[in-house]
Amino acid sequence: MSRTANSSAPTDEPELVLSQGTIYVIFSALLAAMFLSALDQSVVSTALPTIVGDLRAAQHEGWIITAYLLAIAVVMPIYGKLGDLRGRRRPFLVAIAIFVAGSAGSALATSFVDLVVWRSLQGLGAGGLVILSQAIIADIVSARDRGKYMGPMGAVFGVATVAGPLLGGWFTDGPGWRWCFWLNVPIGLVAFAVAYFRLRLPSRRPTTRFDLAGAALMAVTTAGIVLLTSWSSISSDGRYDWSSPVLIGLLALTVAALAAFLVVETRVADPLIPLRLFRSRTFSVSVSIALVLGMTMFAALSFLPTFLQMARGYDATEAGLLMLPMTVGLMITALGSGILISSTGRYKIFPILGMGIATIGLALLTRLTADLSMVTFGAMIFVLGFGLGFVMQTIVIAVQNAVPPEMVGVATSTNNFLREIGAAVGTSVFSTVFTTNLTTRLAAAVREAPAADIPQGFGADALTPDVVDRLPAALRELVVNAYTDALAPAFWYLVPLGVLGFAIAFLMKEVRLSDQAGLVARGAAVGR
């Protein structure tokens, strides 16, 4: 796709001098924002049983996670577009403020409804933190040098994703689950202060109307997809009942909203997500990899800590620590690939290597057993993390470099939006396959156990680490084996997706990396 640049800055935009010191200060605030957003997608997972127990809403616990993910996914495209139209400083400050307010409200929540409402507000801020952090880096750093900054961002995302369950378990066992939310407040306030005083990005006056119709239809479509993929965790009966008129109506509404969105985007002057971007092979390949990455990575990550607790008897904190090899692998390649991209200007090879290695990691996870050595388990997840680190931020650099500087926000938000949608769909499908296998295997295990050993209401939907730990020894062994035997084969459903991502990566067209920061290319700043 051709690259455009405005050589003269508008008269109402102040000139910004991008010194190295200024970039480093801004980057520190962006890292903090990225860490907060990524952390809060996973920190609640290990604390959920305690949270819903305290708030007396165990039957509705899925809403705590779904509300957050729904809010993030809905606002991602909106933040990206607003940043392109009006500048990114004010939206970034608003996103931090909303996130901090949502975190404080969640920490103070006295009822389940309160928590879901505040958690949703938190998600509305978190969606902007990731998108705007990555887009601001594109504004202040050239694509050629961006790898040195995107690499640490990818590493921070990986660390936060794995550290979340660890911190959630530690808070739950120690000072209390409310600290899962209080933690965000001081970090968020520091990030806000740094951004307010040092993030002096120029603002712009939009020349076209914001695509309200597209935004509304995208919100309905996204809400429908997230609710459909989360249905088994938020419905009263905990399963998909396709005779339910509510479920059928939700599916029909989602399809209709998506079709209407595509029509609107072809007709408005300045669409929320310009469909012409997909004509760029680099852009379309990169966002396709993001979709596959979300479907595989988050589905795997959702179940591995639980495997350690269910099959090996570790507590939440220990399970989080045992996930560290994945973080180490991800950090090595995220940082290393970023440095190599900046030094060589080449990036196509990294998604190919990454998807290939990550697929091998997924295949290795099909060998999980109840008596697996933790050294072997660590090696398996190290391979998975090692592959993911090559991909996560490389495809962000690729999509940003494939579009004009004034469309970086839209490109970044589309990439992350599709990754979030992939995570929702992939986790839902994986969970359904696993639960179906587990139900069958548990039924067989129960037939072999004495009736007196089986607790009332025992089943796949009531299986927790605490429940398994209290079972009689003979039944516990049967249940653990059934759990592991159901989980390991489920990873085979992710392997073909990894192979698909690997094949797609070969189709990427490597576009020469720009040597100008986005603001410099638009004439709104000068480098020094």
Side-chain angles (χ1 to χ4, degrees):
M1 178 172 290
S2 62
R3 188 177 297 278
T4 62
N6 182 9
S7 60
S8 59
T11 56
D12 61 337
E13 290 190 351
E15 183 180 83
L16 176 66
V17 178
L18 294 175
S19 67
Q20 200 62 51
T22 299
I23 291 173
Y24 285 148
V25 171
I26 294 173
F27 183 59
S28 65
L30 301 182
L31 279 181
M34 175 73 76
F35 178 78
L36 288 174
S37 178
L39 182 71
D40 258 63
Q41 291 197 51
S42 58
V43 71
V44 174
S45 58
T46 46
L48 263 182
T50 303
I51 293 174
V52 297
D54 286 353
L55 300 178
R56 299 182 181 181
Q59 69 274 25
H60 300 302
E61 71 174 50
W63 277 106
I64 296 177
I65 294 177
T66 299
Y68 184 75
L69 294 178
L70 175 59
I72 285 180
V74 165
V75 298
M76 273 186 171
I78 296 173
Y79 275 115
K81 189 65 177 182
L82 285 176
D84 285 344
L85 288 175
R86 296 180 175 273
R88 289 181 240 283
R89 182 176 184 270
R90 288 182 181 176
F92 187 65
L93 291 173
V94 169
I96 297 177
I98 292 174
F99 183 81
V100 170
S103 298
S106 297
L108 294 170
T110 56
S111 71
F112 180 77
V113 173
D114 285 346
L115 181 59
V116 170
V117 171
W118 286 109
R119 184 77 168 146
S120 300
L121 183 66
Q122 194 183 27
L124 294 178
L129 297 183
V130 174
I131 299 304
L132 296 171
S133 294
Q134 293 177 340
I136 288 170
I137 284 295
D139 282 340
I140 64 176
V141 179
S142 70
R144 178 64 186 262
D145 293 330
R146 209 169 294 158
K148 293 184 291 187
Y149 297 88
M150 285 296 194
M153 279 192 163
V156 163
F157 186 90
V159 169
T161 300
V162 176
L166 173 62
L167 284 173
W170 185 79
F171 284 137
T172 302
D173 297 336
W177 60 264
R178 294 180 186 275
W179 281 93
C180 293
F181 305 110
W182 282 127
L183 173 68
N184 300 324
V185 176
I187 300 176
L189 290 176
V190 170
F192 184 90
V194 173
Y196 184 83
F197 290 107
R198 299 301 298 269
L199 187 62
R200 295 298 182 184
L201 301 179
S203 60
R204 292 186 292 279
R205 293 178 180 174
T207 57
T208 57
R209 286 186 176 184
F210 181 76
D211 181 15
L212 286 175
L217 290 168
M218 174 56 76
V220 173
T221 303
T222 303
I225 293 173
V226 173
L227 292 175
L228 284 169
T229 54
S230 305
W231 191 258
S232 60
S233 65
I234 62 176
S235 62
S236 58
D237 56 3
R239 64 186 181 88
Y240 284 91
D241 179 9
W242 289 107
S243 64
S244 167
V246 176
L247 185 57
I248 295 295
L250 179 61
L251 177 61
L253 177 63
T254 303
V255 173
L258 175 60
F261 172 76
L262 294 176
V263 171
V264 167
E265 296 305 273
T266 61
R267 296 183 177 181
V268 296
D270 190 10
L272 184 72
I273 300 178
L275 300 183
R276 67 180 183 276
L277 291 179
F278 290 90
R279 298 173 189 166
S280 165
R281 197 167 79 188
T282 301
F283 179 88
S284 57
V285 167
S286 296
V287 298
S288 298
I289 293 174
L291 179 67
V292 172
L293 191 70
M295 296 178 74
T296 54
M297 174 184 174
F298 287 97
L301 284 178
S302 297
F303 287 86
L304 290 176
T306 307
F307 161 77
L308 294 171
Q309 295 176 69
M310 296 286 288
R312 303 307 301 268
Y314 294 109
D315 62 30
T317 304
E318 292 169 333
L321 287 171
L322 288 168
M323 292 296 295
L324 287 178
M326 180 174 177
T327 305
V328 172
L330 191 149
M331 289 182 66
I332 290 172
T333 48
L335 296 171
S337 61
I339 293 171
L340 289 172
I341 289 171
S342 293
S343 61
T344 65
R346 310 301 295 270
Y347 57 87
K348 178 179 177 177
I349 186 61
F350 298 113
I352 296 173
L353 285 175
M355 291 307 302
I357 295 171
T359 302
I360 293 173
L362 292 171
L364 291 174
L365 290 173
T366 65
R367 311 301 299 172
L368 289 177
T369 59
D371 58 353
L372 184 72
S373 160
M374 285 299 96
V375 174
T376 303
F377 177 79
M380 289 177 172
I381 62 175
F382 176 85
V383 172
L384 180 61
F386 196 83
L388 294 174
F390 276 127
V391 184
M392 290 180 59
Q393 298 306 309
T394 304
I395 56 177
V396 176
I397 295 173
V399 296
Q400 290 178 343
N401 188 64
V403 302
E406 61 271 15
M407 300 182 72
V408 160
V410 167
T412 306
S413 64
T414 303
N415 179 82
N416 286 272
F417 171 77
L418 288 176
R419 189 186 65 199
E420 291 292 330
I421 294 299
V425 173
T427 303
S428 175
V429 172
F430 187 87
S431 177
T432 300
V433 171
F434 165 67
T435 303
T436 302
N437 288 343
L438 180 60
T439 301
T440 302
R441 294 176 187 275
L442 277 181
V446 166
R447 285 196 296 268
E448 300 177 24
D453 289 347
I454 302 171
Q456 186 175 5
F458 180 76
D461 56 347
L463 212 56
T464 67
D466 287 339
V467 170
V468 172
D469 189 55
R470 291 195 298 266
L471 293 175
L475 179 59
R476 182 169 63 246
E477 183 178 357
L478 290 172
V479 169
V480 166
N481 287 331
Y483 185 93
T484 308
D485 292 343
L487 180 62
F491 283 101
W492 280 118
Y493 287 84
L494 300 181
V495 171
L497 289 172
V499 172
L500 176 63
F502 176 67
I504 291 173
F506 280 94
L507 301 177
M508 181 180 289
K509 180 181 179 181
E510 193 168 61
V511 180
R512 180 181 175 274
L513 293 175
S514 169
D515 57 4
Q516 280 190 323
L519 290 176
V520 174
R522 293 202 300 268
V526 293
R528 189 173 67 185

